[in-house]
Amino acid sequence: MDGRFPRIVDIDVPALENKVNSKVDEAIVISLDIEPSESWIRLFREEVEQLLGQMNLAEVTIVGQKISFFASTDDYRRLGDEIKRLVAGTSYRLQRTRNAAAGSWKSEY
């Protein structure tokens, strides 16, 4: 289990429209301090998938240290807050799992 737990360092919000058209609109881009591990990306995507039924998350992608998604003028704050919560929650869950695994390893000896 690796120790890479990314944090948000910047959010770039382009001009937004009332209705999202991901083919022509620019995405909102969240920059992370480090590139997430494969396990982090897998867990993050699982969390996003669970939210798809609850929220209108449009095309959330992760490339390197960037998370991109689309939002309208009406929902970008709510969606941005949700993505920020997911980033922090994913890192927390992986760190907790790693710490639990390290604790069980120590207790065996």
Side-chain angles (χ1 to χ4, degrees), residues 7-13 28-33 65-67 84:
R7 293 177 301 146
I8 294 172
V9 293
D10 187 45
I11 300 174
D12 180 29
V13 181
I28 296 170
V29 178
I30 295 176
S31 298
L32 304 173
D33 62 341
Q65 292 177 235
K66 308 276 186 198
I67 298 173
K84 288 190 282 188

Side-chain angles (χ1 to χ4, degrees), residues 37-49:
S37 65
E38 287 300 318
S39 57
W40 190 96
I41 291 170
R42 190 171 33 258
L43 182 57
F44 180 80
R45 286 185 176 148
E46 288 172 11
E47 296 287 332
V48 168
E49 287 294 320

Side-chain angles (χ1 to χ4, degrees), residues 21-22 29 37 45 50 72 76 79 90:
N21 181 345
S22 61
V29 178
S37 65
R45 286 185 176 148
Q50 290 179 7
S72 69
Y76 84 94
L79 292 176
T90 300

Side-chain angles (χ1 to χ4, degrees), residues 43-71:
L43 182 57
F44 180 80
R45 286 185 176 148
E46 288 172 11
E47 296 287 332
V48 168
E49 287 294 320
Q50 290 179 7
L51 287 176
L52 288 178
Q54 301 170 28
M55 299 178 72
N56 185 22
L57 289 175
E59 297 181 36
V60 178
T61 59
I62 302 173
V63 177
Q65 292 177 235
K66 308 276 186 198
I67 298 173
S68 302
F69 67 99
F70 295 90

